[in-house]
Amino acid sequence: MDGNKVSLHPEPKKWKVPKGPKPIHHKNKNLIGLGRTIANQRKQENAIEFLPDGEMRFTTDKKEAGWVKMRSVTQENSLDEFLNTAELADLDFTAERNSQVKIIKVGNTALVNQSGLLSQEETDEIRKKHQLFENKLIIPRRPKWTKEQLRIQIERQENLAFLDWRRELATLSEKHDLLLTPFERNIEVWRQLWRVVERCDLIVQIVDARSPLFFRSVDLESYVESLNKPEENREKRNLLLINKADLLTRHQRKEWANYLNERGIKYVFFSAANANALLEKEEEEAEQRKNDPNFVSEAGLDDSEGEETDEDIKILKVEELEDLFLSAAPTFEQTEEFPDRKLQIGLVGYPNVGKSSTINALVGSKKVSVSATPGKTKHFQTIVLSPDVVLCDCPGLVFPNFAYSNGELVCNGVLPIDQLREHIPPVSLVCQRIPKFFLEAVYGIHIPIQSKADGGNGVYPTARELLNAYARARGYMTQGFGSADESRASRYILKDYVNGKLLHINPPPKKLEDGLWDNRSVDESREFNKEIYTVHSLPETRQEQIKAALLHKNMKFDEFDLANDLAKLNFSMHVGSDNNQKANGESQGEATTRFYGGRQAALESAADDLDREFFQMNNVQAKLDSPFHKNGGLSGNKKHNKKNKKADKKKRVVGY
């Protein structure tokens, strides 16, 4: 019985760890693998590199994107220049705490802010120095390389050559006290130029017709010719394309053609803006013809009348420009190594000279993005023009050049106006180049100028006089004291100058008796642009206002002289001289400006106020024939008589 007994307290089971729920495999939501891509990039950034000499290099710096590397750098401060120089030289450095480090800028490569304009004697002296060292002003060359070299070897020798080039420019400006314009300091942008020059057969250097010599790089043409290889039957040629030629008159184009022909420079006149406008008009007519079969075009009626017969000054059309490229380009034969080789044409030039617009006109449709901001194109682009021709668009490059003042680069549209810090120098150039009456006619204002005795110019307005008149007429005032906002006004005026609303064409140099060439003076430059500043050059809205003002004055539009008769008219904010009142203190024959904010917003001269106050004394009428104190003063009693005051006080007390 005992063996059959069942234990009432069985042994407890051993405790086991619970397994938990089974894992559920969720669907991966990262379909594009962005996390893995970022992780792989991090590994590549911190990868170990072995140099050709066996040295191991490891860096933790983040690699920048391509568009960041291609940023244009024309001006650097001392610290950035020091860091970039150390990077190009592949040198390492450390900064110790509590140690004083002083960075000394070497070379006069930065522009001096000049508030005034140079005199003719100073300009001539600087020009002679520029001609003396003109052959020293070169662009960086790419060192020779072979296919057997590694990429890191080629980049190393390119960096060292670029660094030597920068040192030579700095030494040139420091030893001879020369002033250099801001030039491109990013080697990545120069590498784009090297590739375009090496692969192209015809290098077309595009310049602005308003100042062709400023935008032309003579050393670039020498660099292209140095790459000719007669033994390999490879030849490269240069061509100067003068864009925006529609802004020049026939006489101005003739002057430039004579200069370029005498110097032996291969050139062509072209207008990308007119070509693109004609293409858009043809597309609109094609669309209308598609909708209306009976549509008749009127575009070609006036073309035969204005056809230019002189081939030297003719502005080529798109078809004629394509034929010129083919005729100016060198001939080559197909080889076994390159059986399908095409003619490659490279377009090179400063920013904002119209390279992208020229390509759009050649292709016939918008293949390249166009922007008003200089430096839109970042990498060189290849565009197929025809089965046998390929175009290469190079990024805009600011070449090193000698400078007279820092305002010249802004007026030529090389540097962005929105990033401008000093606005007085470029506006001073505008005042010197554009006549006073034309500025008044364009903006509908009157610019009061001070005489030389009062500190003004006396001939043309200064920068502050123009900016004050423009800002106060438009109501651009600063907060606080309510002075004219000169910085805001300068941006509008400079953009009008760059866009051609305020037009000025630099004349070609004149030939001296000894055979040398010299720049023309300010007076000669004004005479060269005399035909531009007429009423027909004004905007259409301003012309309509002037026509209405002439009708009101019973004056004929055909007999109107903009320089002499403008002061008589009332239009926009401009008030003619006939409407001035002597009570306002204005002299007869002088126009005024209607300001926003009343008389307190007008710009007043201290000398004018003193003269006005002095000459108004003639209107005083004297009625007293005896001294003032003998006539009883103001009220017959002394003003501060104590006895009268006491008597009046007693009367008031008694009456109360």
Side-chain angles (χ1 to χ4, degrees):
M1 291 294 294
D2 294 338
N4 296 332
K5 284 184 179 180
V6 179
S7 176
L8 298 177
H9 302 284
E11 295 182 1
K13 295 181 179 180
K14 294 183 179 179
W15 182 82
K16 295 182 180 180
V17 179
K19 295 181 179 181
K22 294 182 179 180
I24 300 176
H25 296 283
H26 296 281
K27 187 177 181 180
N28 187 9
K29 297 181 180 180
N30 187 5
L31 302 178
I32 60 176
L34 182 59
R36 290 191 294 272
T37 303
I38 295 177
N40 292 334
Q41 287 183 353
R42 292 288 185 269
K43 291 180 181 179
Q44 293 177 2
E45 290 174 1
N46 300 330
I48 299 176
E49 293 182 310
F50 290 92
L51 301 180
D53 54 0
E55 183 182 356
M56 184 177 65
R57 183 171 66 177
F58 174 76
T59 178
T60 57
D61 296 337
K62 295 182 179 180
K63 291 187 177 181
E64 297 177 333
W67 66 271
V68 178
K69 290 183 178 181
M70 287 300 301
R71 284 182 300 186
S72 178
V73 180
T74 54
Q75 287 179 305
E76 294 175 323
N77 55 33
S78 300
L79 180 59
D80 291 338
E81 186 175 358
F82 169 72
L83 296 176
N84 293 333
T85 303
E87 184 179 359
L88 287 173
D90 200 10
L91 298 176
D92 194 9
F93 61 91
T94 57
E96 298 180 358
R97 184 174 295 181
N98 299 329
S99 62
Q100 296 181 356
V101 179
K102 185 177 181 181
I103 299 176
I104 302 176
K105 187 173 181 61
V106 179
N108 190 14
T109 57
L111 287 170
V112 179
N113 295 325
Q114 298 177 355
S115 58
L117 297 171
L118 297 177
S119 63
Q120 189 63 38
E121 293 77 12
E122 294 173 337
T123 304
D124 295 340
E125 185 178 352
I126 295 176
R127 176 59 183 168
K128 292 179 181 178
K129 190 182 294 185
H130 290 177
Q131 291 176 345
L132 185 61
F133 298 99
E134 196 171 8
N135 58 342
K136 300 290 185 181
L137 201 62
I138 61 175
I139 64 173
R141 296 324 199 242
R142 185 181 187 183
K144 294 183 179 180
W145 58 278
T146 60
K147 297 181 180 179
E148 290 75 17
Q149 287 181 298
L150 297 176
R151 177 181 177 182
I152 191 171
Q153 291 178 319
I154 297 176
E155 290 182 354
R156 183 87 175 261
Q157 67 181 14
E158 287 177 355
N159 291 341
L160 294 177
F162 185 73
L163 186 60
D164 293 339
W165 171 73
R166 290 187 56 172
R167 286 172 177 166
E168 290 177 0
L169 290 181
T171 305
L172 176 67
S173 61
E174 182 184 8
K175 284 187 176 180
H176 305 287
D177 194 22
L178 293 170
L179 195 63
L180 294 180
T181 61
F183 56 90
E184 186 58 59
R185 301 168 187 269
N186 187 0
I187 188 176
E188 296 295 334
V189 184
W190 288 103
R191 284 185 173 126
Q192 302 296 315
L193 175 68
W194 294 339
R195 296 188 181 102
V196 170
V197 173
E198 287 180 355
R199 68 178 295 169
C200 292
D201 304 297
L202 176 65
I203 304 299
V204 180
Q205 194 173 169
I206 302 179
V207 297
D208 196 319
R210 291 173 289 183
S211 183
L213 297 184
F214 177 85
F215 293 96
R216 177 183 175 231
S217 176
V218 181
D219 191 64
L220 176 62
E221 300 175 0
S222 303
Y223 177 49
V224 172
E225 294 175 356
S226 65
L227 296 179
N228 289 335
K229 298 179 180 180
E231 64 278 0
E232 299 180 5
N233 194 19
R234 185 166 185 177
E235 183 184 2
K236 296 180 182 294
R237 294 182 183 177
N238 291 290
L239 178 64
L240 191 69
L241 190 146
I242 304 177
N243 192 26
K244 306 177 185 179
D246 57 309
L247 301 177
L248 277 67
T249 62
R250 190 180 188 280
H251 170 69
Q252 290 173 337
R253 293 201 307 272
K254 190 65 178 177
E255 289 280 337
W256 272 109
N258 295 336
Y259 169 77
L260 296 173
N261 287 329
E262 193 164 353
R263 296 295 301 269
I265 301 172
K266 182 71 174 177
Y267 71 95
V268 60
F269 287 111
F270 184 67
S271 175
N274 287 355
N276 286 314
L278 184 60
L279 287 173
E280 293 179 1
K281 190 173 183 179
E282 291 177 354
E283 292 178 359
E284 292 177 359
E285 291 178 353
E287 187 69 21
Q288 292 179 0
R289 194 178 295 108
K290 183 178 180 181
N291 299 330
D292 185 8
N294 299 325
F295 175 75
V296 179
S297 175
E298 299 179 358
L301 295 179
D302 300 333
D303 292 345
S304 58
E305 297 179 1
E307 189 72 21
E308 180 60 54
T309 57
D310 194 347
E311 295 294 333
D312 291 341
I313 62 176
K314 184 178 181 180
I315 301 177
L316 298 187
K317 300 179 182 178
V318 177
E319 299 81 7
E320 297 172 335
L321 184 63
E322 294 177 4
D323 297 338
L324 179 67
F325 283 169
L326 295 176
S327 61
T331 57
F332 56 86
E333 298 178 357
Q334 303 290 347
T335 59
E336 297 181 357
E337 185 178 2
F338 302 102
D340 299 330
R341 183 185 171 190
K342 299 180 181 180
L343 175 64
Q344 302 191 47
I345 301 174
L347 302 181
V348 183
Y350 276 73
N352 207 24
V353 295
K355 295 187 303 298
S356 301
S357 300
T358 303
I359 290 182
N360 293 337
L362 289 170
V363 177
S365 60
K366 295 213 168 185
K367 298 290 184 181
V368 182
S369 58
V370 179
S371 175
T373 304
K376 174 68 175 176
T377 306
K378 297 301 181 184
H379 297 271
F380 83 91
Q381 309 174 46
T382 57
I383 298 147
V384 178
L385 182 62
S386 67
D388 299 326
V389 181
V390 176
L391 296 177
C392 295
D393 183 18
C394 180
L397 263 169
V398 181
F399 296 94
N401 202 351
F402 293 123
Y404 296 96
S405 65
N406 62 342
E408 190 175 1
L409 222 63
V410 179
C411 291
N412 286 322
V414 175
L415 298 182
I417 296 175
D418 293 328
Q419 302 176 9
L420 187 64
R421 295 181 181 178
E422 293 292 333
H423 58 271
I424 295 297
V427 177
S428 299
L429 278 178
V430 174
C431 295
Q432 187 186 56
R433 294 173 176 177
I434 309 297
K436 174 178 175 290
F437 67 89
F438 193 77
L439 291 171
E440 295 176 340
V442 169
Y443 295 122
I445 59 176
H446 169 70
I447 307 173
I449 62 174
Q450 297 178 344
S451 62
K452 293 185 178 181
D454 296 336
N457 194 310
V459 181
Y460 46 84
T462 62
R464 295 195 177 276
E465 289 171 347
L466 171 61
L467 294 176
N468 271 279
Y470 180 89
R472 294 175 185 275
R474 299 294 189 272
Y476 300 155
M477 312 297 288
T478 59
Q479 295 181 354
F481 294 102
S483 59
D485 194 346
E486 296 181 356
S487 178
R488 182 182 178 185
S490 66
R491 289 195 295 270
Y492 286 103
I493 294 175
L494 291 174
K495 286 181 179 180
D496 289 341
Y497 185 88
V498 172
N499 296 331
K501 185 177 179 180
L502 301 175
L503 187 58
H504 175 79
I505 309 299
N506 285 336
K510 59 182 178 181
K511 192 173 184 179
L512 304 178
E513 296 180 355
D514 54 359
L516 299 178
W517 297 87
D518 192 13
N519 289 346
R520 303 197 186 186
S521 62
V522 177
D523 296 334
E524 292 174 337
S525 178
R526 289 183 176 180
E527 185 67 24
F528 183 75
N529 291 274
K530 190 176 182 180
E531 299 177 3
I532 297 178
Y533 306 122
T534 61
V535 68
H536 300 286
S537 302
L538 298 175
E540 294 182 3
T541 55
R542 197 66 73 193
Q543 290 186 30
E544 295 298 328
Q545 291 180 358
I546 290 180
K547 288 180 181 179
L550 289 174
L551 291 176
H552 185 71
K553 295 286 185 178
N554 296 324
M555 299 173 64
K556 295 182 179 180
F557 183 74
D558 298 335
E559 300 176 357
F560 175 68
D561 186 5
L562 189 63
N564 300 322
D565 301 335
L566 183 67
K568 305 175 184 178
L569 302 182
N570 296 338
F571 65 98
S572 188
M573 308 302 294
H574 185 277
V575 181
S577 58
D578 295 343
N579 299 82
N580 294 340
Q581 302 293 333
K582 286 187 177 181
N584 293 335
E586 304 291 345
S587 60
Q588 290 290 341
E590 183 180 354
T592 58
T593 306
R594 186 182 298 109
F595 296 101
Y596 287 110
R599 293 291 301 174
Q600 66 272 15
L603 177 64
E604 297 292 341
S605 172
D608 295 340
D609 290 340
L610 291 174
D611 293 342
R612 190 178 303 123
E613 183 179 354
F614 175 79
F615 288 110
Q616 281 182 349
M617 293 175 61
N618 296 332
N619 299 327
V620 176
Q621 297 180 1
K623 296 181 179 181
L624 300 177
D625 54 357
S626 60
F628 178 75
H629 65 278
K630 293 184 178 180
N631 289 331
L634 294 173
S635 60
N637 296 322
K638 290 184 178 181
K639 187 175 180 180
H640 302 289
N641 193 345
K642 295 182 179 180
K643 295 182 179 180
N644 295 337
K645 291 181 180 180
K646 292 181 179 179
D648 294 340
K649 189 175 181 181
K650 289 180 179 179
K651 290 180 181 179
R652 287 196 299 269
V653 173
V654 173
Y656 180 76

